[in-house]
Amino acid sequence: MDKMKTGTLIKEARIKKNYTQSELGDLLGVSNKAVSRWEKGESFPDVGLLENLATTLDLRIQEIVTGIKDEHDEAALIEIVRAAKLQQRENKRKNIRHCLQIVPLLCCILSGFSALGNNSFIFDSKPTWEYVLFMVITFITVVIVYFSNQQSHDNLNKFSTISKLLSTLTLLGSVLSAWIIMLKTANGSIPFGIDPSSIGPFMNNILVITFTVNLILLIIQMYRYEKHDEAVHWGWFISIAAIYLTTLYGDCMHNMNTFQGMIKDLIIRTAIVTIATGISKIFISIVRASNNHFL
Protein backbone atom coordinates (compact mmCIF):
# COMPACT_ATOMS: atom_id res chain seq x y z
CA MET A 1 0.00 0.00 0.00
CA ASP A 2 1.50 3.30 -1.14
CA LYS A 3 -0.39 6.27 0.33
CA MET A 4 1.30 8.70 -2.07
CA LYS A 5 0.17 6.70 -5.12
CA THR A 6 -3.34 6.37 -3.70
CA GLY A 7 -3.44 10.09 -2.97
CA THR A 8 -2.36 10.94 -6.50
CA LEU A 9 -4.98 8.57 -7.95
CA ILE A 10 -7.75 10.10 -5.80
CA LYS A 11 -6.70 13.63 -6.77
CA GLU A 12 -6.62 12.83 -10.47
CA ALA A 13 -10.01 11.12 -10.33
CA ARG A 14 -11.51 14.00 -8.32
CA ILE A 15 -10.25 16.59 -10.80
CA LYS A 16 -11.54 14.48 -13.68
CA LYS A 17 -15.00 14.50 -12.05
CA ASN A 18 -14.71 18.30 -11.49
CA TYR A 19 -15.17 17.97 -7.73
CA THR A 20 -13.53 20.26 -5.22
CA GLN A 21 -12.11 18.71 -2.07
CA SER A 22 -15.07 20.11 -0.11
CA GLU A 23 -17.59 18.67 -2.59
CA LEU A 24 -15.98 15.25 -2.47
CA GLY A 25 -15.87 15.42 1.32
CA ASP A 26 -19.58 16.29 1.45
CA LEU A 27 -20.43 13.33 -0.80
CA LEU A 28 -18.45 10.98 1.46
CA GLY A 29 -19.41 12.55 4.78
CA VAL A 30 -15.86 13.63 5.69
CA SER A 31 -14.11 17.00 5.98
CA ASN A 32 -12.23 18.64 3.13
CA LYS A 33 -9.11 18.39 5.32
CA ALA A 34 -9.49 14.60 5.36
CA VAL A 35 -9.62 14.59 1.56
CA SER A 36 -6.59 16.88 1.44
CA ARG A 37 -4.62 14.52 3.70
CA TRP A 38 -5.50 11.58 1.44
CA GLU A 39 -4.30 13.40 -1.65
CA LYS A 40 -1.07 14.48 0.05
CA GLY A 41 -0.37 10.91 1.09
CA GLU A 42 -0.56 11.81 4.80
CA SER A 43 -3.35 9.33 5.54
CA PHE A 44 -5.38 6.57 3.89
CA PRO A 45 -9.19 6.56 3.48
CA ASP A 46 -11.04 4.52 6.07
CA VAL A 47 -11.79 1.02 4.85
CA GLY A 48 -15.49 1.67 5.41
CA LEU A 49 -15.36 4.54 2.90
CA LEU A 50 -13.64 2.64 0.08
CA GLU A 51 -16.79 1.38 -1.62
CA ASN A 52 -18.47 4.80 -1.60
CA LEU A 53 -15.24 6.51 -2.65
CA ALA A 54 -14.73 4.08 -5.52
CA THR A 55 -18.32 4.57 -6.74
CA THR A 56 -18.10 8.36 -6.48
CA LEU A 57 -14.84 8.59 -8.43
CA ASP A 58 -15.58 5.74 -10.88
CA LEU A 59 -12.65 3.71 -9.58
CA ARG A 60 -12.29 0.15 -8.39
CA ILE A 61 -11.56 -0.53 -4.74
CA GLN A 62 -8.36 -2.39 -5.58
CA GLU A 63 -7.17 0.59 -7.63
CA ILE A 64 -7.65 2.90 -4.64
CA VAL A 65 -5.88 0.50 -2.29
CA THR A 66 -2.86 -0.05 -4.50
CA GLY A 67 -2.81 3.37 -6.11
CA ILE A 68 -2.39 1.71 -9.51
CA LYS A 69 -5.01 1.26 -12.20
CA ASP A 70 -5.95 -2.28 -13.24
CA GLU A 71 -4.00 -3.97 -10.43
CA HIS A 72 -4.49 -7.70 -9.98
CA ASP A 73 -7.34 -8.55 -7.62
CA GLU A 74 -5.22 -10.88 -5.46
CA ALA A 75 -2.64 -8.19 -4.70
CA ALA A 76 -5.40 -5.68 -4.01
CA LEU A 77 -7.10 -8.05 -1.57
CA ILE A 78 -3.86 -8.45 0.39
CA GLU A 79 -3.51 -4.67 0.56
CA ILE A 80 -7.12 -4.24 1.71
CA VAL A 81 -6.58 -6.68 4.58
CA ARG A 82 -3.36 -4.89 5.50
CA ALA A 83 -5.08 -1.50 5.37
CA ALA A 84 -7.89 -2.79 7.59
CA LYS A 85 -5.39 -4.00 10.21
CA LEU A 86 -3.50 -0.70 10.14
CA GLN A 87 -6.71 1.29 10.55
CA GLN A 88 -7.84 -0.97 13.37
CA ARG A 89 -4.65 -0.10 15.24
CA GLU A 90 -5.14 3.59 14.45
CA ASN A 91 -8.72 3.45 15.77
CA LYS A 92 -7.42 1.97 19.01
CA ARG A 93 -4.92 4.83 19.29
CA LYS A 94 -7.75 7.31 18.66
CA ASN A 95 -9.83 5.75 21.44
CA ILE A 96 -6.86 6.08 23.80
CA ARG A 97 -6.50 9.74 22.81
CA HIS A 98 -10.20 10.31 23.50
CA CYS A 99 -9.77 8.91 27.01
CA LEU A 100 -6.57 10.88 27.59
CA GLN A 101 -8.28 14.15 26.67
CA ILE A 102 -10.81 13.66 29.45
CA VAL A 103 -8.02 13.58 32.06
CA PRO A 104 -6.69 17.16 31.65
CA LEU A 105 -10.19 18.63 31.46
CA LEU A 106 -11.25 16.78 34.62
CA CYS A 107 -8.10 17.87 36.46
CA CYS A 108 -8.59 21.51 35.42
CA ILE A 109 -12.27 21.63 36.35
CA LEU A 110 -11.86 19.97 39.74
CA SER A 111 -8.82 22.06 40.65
CA GLY A 112 -10.44 25.33 39.59
CA PHE A 113 -13.72 24.64 41.38
CA SER A 114 -11.90 23.72 44.57
CA ALA A 115 -9.39 26.61 44.52
CA LEU A 116 -11.65 29.39 43.25
CA GLY A 117 -14.97 28.20 44.63
CA ASN A 118 -15.38 25.79 47.50
CA ASN A 119 -11.90 25.26 48.94
CA SER A 120 -12.96 22.10 50.81
CA PHE A 121 -14.74 20.56 47.83
CA ILE A 122 -12.02 17.99 47.10
CA PHE A 123 -8.94 18.55 49.19
CA ASP A 124 -8.20 19.29 52.81
CA SER A 125 -6.96 22.71 53.85
CA LYS A 126 -3.77 23.97 52.15
CA PRO A 127 -3.92 21.56 49.18
CA THR A 128 -1.18 23.33 47.20
CA TRP A 129 0.78 20.24 46.19
CA GLU A 130 -2.36 18.40 45.12
CA TYR A 131 -3.00 21.19 42.60
CA VAL A 132 0.61 20.96 41.43
CA LEU A 133 0.16 17.20 40.95
CA PHE A 134 -2.99 17.80 38.91
CA MET A 135 -1.07 20.34 36.80
CA VAL A 136 1.75 17.86 36.13
CA ILE A 137 -0.77 15.16 35.13
CA THR A 138 -2.48 17.65 32.80
CA PHE A 139 0.75 18.64 31.05
CA ILE A 140 1.88 15.02 30.69
CA THR A 141 -1.41 13.85 29.16
CA VAL A 142 -1.49 16.78 26.71
CA VAL A 143 2.11 16.08 25.67
CA ILE A 144 1.13 12.43 25.05
CA VAL A 145 -1.85 13.55 22.95
CA TYR A 146 0.49 15.92 21.09
CA PHE A 147 2.81 13.11 20.03
CA SER A 148 0.08 10.51 19.51
CA ASN A 149 -0.99 12.33 16.35
CA GLN A 150 1.84 12.77 13.88
CA GLN A 151 -0.01 15.30 11.72
CA SER A 152 1.79 18.58 11.10
CA HIS A 153 1.83 20.67 14.28
CA ASP A 154 2.74 23.82 12.37
CA ASN A 155 -0.31 24.06 10.15
CA LEU A 156 -2.23 26.52 12.32
CA ASN A 157 -5.31 28.53 11.36
CA LYS A 158 -6.81 31.84 12.45
CA PHE A 159 -8.55 30.34 15.48
CA SER A 160 -5.28 28.83 16.71
CA THR A 161 -3.62 32.24 16.49
CA ILE A 162 -6.51 33.98 18.23
CA SER A 163 -6.66 31.38 21.01
CA LYS A 164 -2.92 31.70 21.66
CA LEU A 165 -3.20 35.49 21.78
CA LEU A 166 -6.26 35.44 24.05
CA SER A 167 -4.80 32.89 26.46
CA THR A 168 -1.53 34.83 26.62
CA LEU A 169 -3.30 38.14 27.30
CA THR A 170 -5.51 36.68 30.05
CA LEU A 171 -2.50 34.95 31.59
CA LEU A 172 -0.45 38.15 31.68
CA GLY A 173 -3.46 40.17 32.82
CA SER A 174 -4.15 37.94 35.83
CA VAL A 175 -0.46 37.87 36.82
CA LEU A 176 -0.07 41.65 36.59
CA SER A 177 -3.33 42.27 38.45
CA ALA A 178 -2.38 39.92 41.27
CA TRP A 179 1.06 41.45 41.69
CA ILE A 180 -0.12 45.07 41.49
CA ILE A 181 -2.88 44.47 44.04
CA MET A 182 -0.66 42.56 46.45
CA LEU A 183 2.30 44.94 46.27
CA LYS A 184 0.18 48.06 46.64
CA THR A 185 -1.80 46.55 49.49
CA ALA A 186 1.39 45.41 51.26
CA ASN A 187 2.69 49.00 51.00
CA GLY A 188 -0.47 50.36 52.58
CA SER A 189 -2.01 51.92 49.43
CA ILE A 190 -5.36 51.10 47.86
CA PRO A 191 -5.03 49.58 44.34
CA PHE A 192 -7.37 50.84 41.61
CA GLY A 193 -9.40 52.78 44.20
CA ILE A 194 -10.93 49.55 45.51
CA ASP A 195 -12.51 49.41 48.93
CA PRO A 196 -10.15 47.40 51.19
CA SER A 197 -12.90 44.91 52.04
CA SER A 198 -13.48 44.29 48.33
CA ILE A 199 -9.87 43.50 47.39
CA GLY A 200 -10.27 39.74 47.95
CA PRO A 201 -13.51 39.35 45.95
CA PHE A 202 -12.14 41.62 43.18
CA MET A 203 -8.99 39.52 42.82
CA ASN A 204 -10.97 36.30 42.97
CA ASN A 205 -13.26 37.54 40.16
CA ILE A 206 -10.23 38.27 37.94
CA LEU A 207 -8.92 34.76 38.57
CA VAL A 208 -12.32 33.17 37.91
CA ILE A 209 -12.67 35.05 34.60
CA THR A 210 -9.15 34.05 33.52
CA PHE A 211 -9.77 30.43 34.52
CA THR A 212 -13.14 30.29 32.73
CA VAL A 213 -11.89 31.89 29.49
CA ASN A 214 -8.93 29.52 29.24
CA LEU A 215 -10.97 26.45 30.17
CA ILE A 216 -13.40 27.31 27.36
CA LEU A 217 -10.49 27.83 24.97
CA LEU A 218 -9.00 24.47 25.94
CA ILE A 219 -12.33 22.70 25.41
CA ILE A 220 -12.77 24.33 21.98
CA GLN A 221 -9.19 23.47 21.01
CA MET A 222 -9.74 19.83 21.95
CA TYR A 223 -13.05 19.75 20.07
CA ARG A 224 -11.45 21.16 16.92
CA TYR A 225 -8.60 18.66 17.29
CA GLU A 226 -11.10 15.80 17.23
CA LYS A 227 -13.65 17.08 14.71
CA HIS A 228 -11.59 19.18 12.32
CA ASP A 229 -8.22 17.42 12.38
CA GLU A 230 -6.50 20.49 13.81
CA ALA A 231 -3.11 19.96 15.38
CA VAL A 232 -2.24 20.34 19.04
CA HIS A 233 -0.48 23.69 19.26
CA TRP A 234 1.28 25.82 21.84
CA GLY A 235 -1.98 27.61 22.71
CA TRP A 236 -3.06 24.48 24.60
CA PHE A 237 -0.09 24.81 26.94
CA ILE A 238 -0.60 28.55 27.48
CA SER A 239 -4.24 27.91 28.42
CA ILE A 240 -3.19 25.17 30.85
CA ALA A 241 -0.57 27.49 32.37
CA ALA A 242 -3.22 30.20 32.83
CA ILE A 243 -5.68 27.73 34.35
CA TYR A 244 -3.24 26.43 36.95
CA LEU A 245 -1.71 29.81 37.69
CA THR A 246 -5.16 31.12 38.62
CA THR A 247 -5.81 27.91 40.56
CA LEU A 248 -2.62 28.29 42.60
CA TYR A 249 -3.20 32.01 43.08
CA GLY A 250 -6.75 31.31 44.29
CA ASP A 251 -5.46 28.66 46.68
CA CYS A 252 -2.88 31.18 47.92
CA MET A 253 -5.62 33.74 48.66
CA HIS A 254 -7.68 31.23 50.61
CA ASN A 255 -4.69 30.32 52.77
CA MET A 256 -3.19 33.80 53.19
CA ASN A 257 -1.78 34.75 56.60
CA THR A 258 0.04 38.03 55.80
CA PHE A 259 0.57 40.08 52.64
CA GLN A 260 4.32 39.53 52.90
CA GLY A 261 3.81 35.79 53.16
CA MET A 262 1.41 35.87 50.24
CA ILE A 263 3.95 37.68 48.03
CA LYS A 264 6.46 34.92 48.78
CA ASP A 265 3.84 32.29 47.91
CA LEU A 266 2.99 34.09 44.66
CA ILE A 267 6.65 33.98 43.64
CA ILE A 268 6.88 30.25 44.36
CA ARG A 269 3.63 29.41 42.59
CA THR A 270 4.45 31.53 39.56
CA ALA A 271 7.82 29.78 39.33
CA ILE A 272 6.19 26.34 39.58
CA VAL A 273 3.81 27.00 36.68
CA THR A 274 6.56 28.65 34.61
CA ILE A 275 8.93 25.72 35.14
CA ALA A 276 6.26 23.11 34.31
CA THR A 277 5.30 24.96 31.14
CA GLY A 278 8.95 25.46 30.16
CA ILE A 279 9.79 21.79 30.67
CA SER A 280 6.86 20.79 28.44
CA LYS A 281 8.02 23.18 25.72
CA ILE A 282 11.66 22.05 25.93
CA PHE A 283 10.69 18.36 25.90
CA ILE A 284 8.52 18.80 22.81
CA SER A 285 11.24 20.79 21.04
CA ILE A 286 13.89 18.15 21.80
CA VAL A 287 11.74 15.24 20.65
CA ARG A 288 10.66 17.00 17.46
CA ALA A 289 14.24 17.98 16.68
CA SER A 290 15.32 14.37 17.18
CA ASN A 291 12.55 13.08 14.92
CA ASN A 292 13.45 15.60 12.20
CA HIS A 293 17.12 14.64 12.50
CA PHE A 294 16.42 10.93 12.01
CA LEU A 295 13.97 11.63 9.20
Side-chain angles (χ1 to χ4, degrees):
M1 183 174 63
D2 189 323
K3 289 188 288 188
M4 291 299 299
K5 288 183 178 179
T6 296
T8 300
L9 185 67
I10 292 174
K11 183 177 181 179
E12 291 174 350
R14 174 181 64 79
I15 293 174
K16 186 176 180 181
K17 299 285 288 187
N18 292 319
Y19 291 144
T20 64
Q21 290 180 342
S22 296
E23 289 171 341
L24 179 59
D26 291 339
L27 290 172
L28 299 174
V30 300
S31 67
N32 64 312
K33 289 187 177 181
V35 176
S36 176
R37 295 211 319 268
W38 297 344
E39 294 184 355
K40 292 178 181 177
E42 294 177 357
S43 65
F44 190 82
D46 190 278
V47 173
L49 292 173
L50 290 181
E51 183 177 359
N52 193 10
L53 179 61
T55 301
T56 303
L57 296 180
D58 291 334
L59 295 171
R60 294 194 299 168
I61 293 177
Q62 55 265 38
E63 292 172 346
I64 296 175
V65 173
T66 60
I68 301 173
K69 286 248 184 184
D70 301 322
E71 183 70 14
H72 295 300
D73 290 346
E74 182 179 356
L77 179 61
I78 293 174
E79 291 297 332
I80 291 174
V81 172
R82 183 174 171 229
K85 290 180 178 178
L86 289 173
Q87 290 189 345
Q88 188 177 29
R89 287 200 293 268
E90 177 59 26
N91 288 335
K92 288 181 179 179
R93 286 195 292 267
K94 285 183 179 180
N95 291 334
I96 293 173
R97 288 203 301 270
H98 296 333
C99 295
L100 282 176
Q101 285 182 256
I102 297 174
V103 174
L105 287 180
L106 190 61
C107 289
C108 290
I109 292 171
L110 294 179
S111 296
F113 188 84
S114 180
L116 302 174
N118 183 356
N119 191 235
S120 61
F121 175 64
I122 304 173
F123 306 114
D124 297 328
S125 59
K126 298 184 178 181
T128 304
W129 292 108
E130 284 85 344
Y131 294 133
V132 173
L133 177 61
F134 271 32
M135 178 181 64
V136 171
I137 292 173
T138 301
F139 273 120
I140 289 174
T141 52
V142 170
V143 167
I144 293 173
V145 171
Y146 184 96
F147 285 112
S148 66
N149 187 351
Q150 294 303 316
Q151 303 302 327
S152 171
H153 296 285
D154 299 316
N155 186 22
L156 305 181
N157 54 30
K158 183 180 292 187
F159 175 79
S160 302
T161 303
I162 293 174
S163 64
K164 284 195 292 185
L165 178 62
L166 188 56
S167 57
T168 301
L169 289 176
T170 54
L171 173 62
L172 294 176
S174 61
V175 171
L176 290 175
S177 299
W179 279 99
I180 290 172
I181 290 173
M182 289 302 105
L183 290 174
K184 281 185 171 291
T185 305
N187 291 328
S189 59
I190 301 176
F192 308 123
I194 305 171
D195 184 86
S197 62
S198 301
I199 292 176
F202 177 77
M203 188 62 224
N204 193 71
N205 288 337
I206 292 176
L207 297 178
V208 169
I209 291 172
T210 302
F211 174 88
T212 303
V213 168
N214 282 280
L215 181 63
I216 292 172
L217 285 175
L218 187 62
I219 291 173
I220 294 174
Q221 288 160 351
M222 289 184 172
Y223 172 80
R224 294 175 72 90
Y225 169 83
E226 289 294 334
K227 297 298 181 180
H228 301 288
D229 303 312
E230 291 186 4
V232 179
H233 56 83
W234 190 234
W236 289 44
F237 297 91
I238 301 174
S239 291
I240 293 171
I243 287 170
Y244 281 101
L245 195 68
T246 55
T247 296
L248 290 173
Y249 278 13
D251 172 61
C252 187
M253 289 175 56
H254 284 149
N255 295 289
M256 179 179 66
N257 293 319
T258 64
F259 282 114
Q260 289 74 18
M262 185 173 184
I263 291 174
K264 179 181 177 182
D265 282 344
L266 287 179
I267 294 174
I268 294 173
R269 292 162 196 243
T270 304
I272 289 173
V273 175
T274 303
I275 291 171
T277 309
I279 289 174
S280 300
K281 174 63 173 176
I282 292 171
F283 177 78
I284 287 173
S285 299
I286 291 174
V287 174
R288 290 189 66 190
S290 299
N291 290 341
N292 291 336
H293 174 73
F294 286 113
L295 289 175

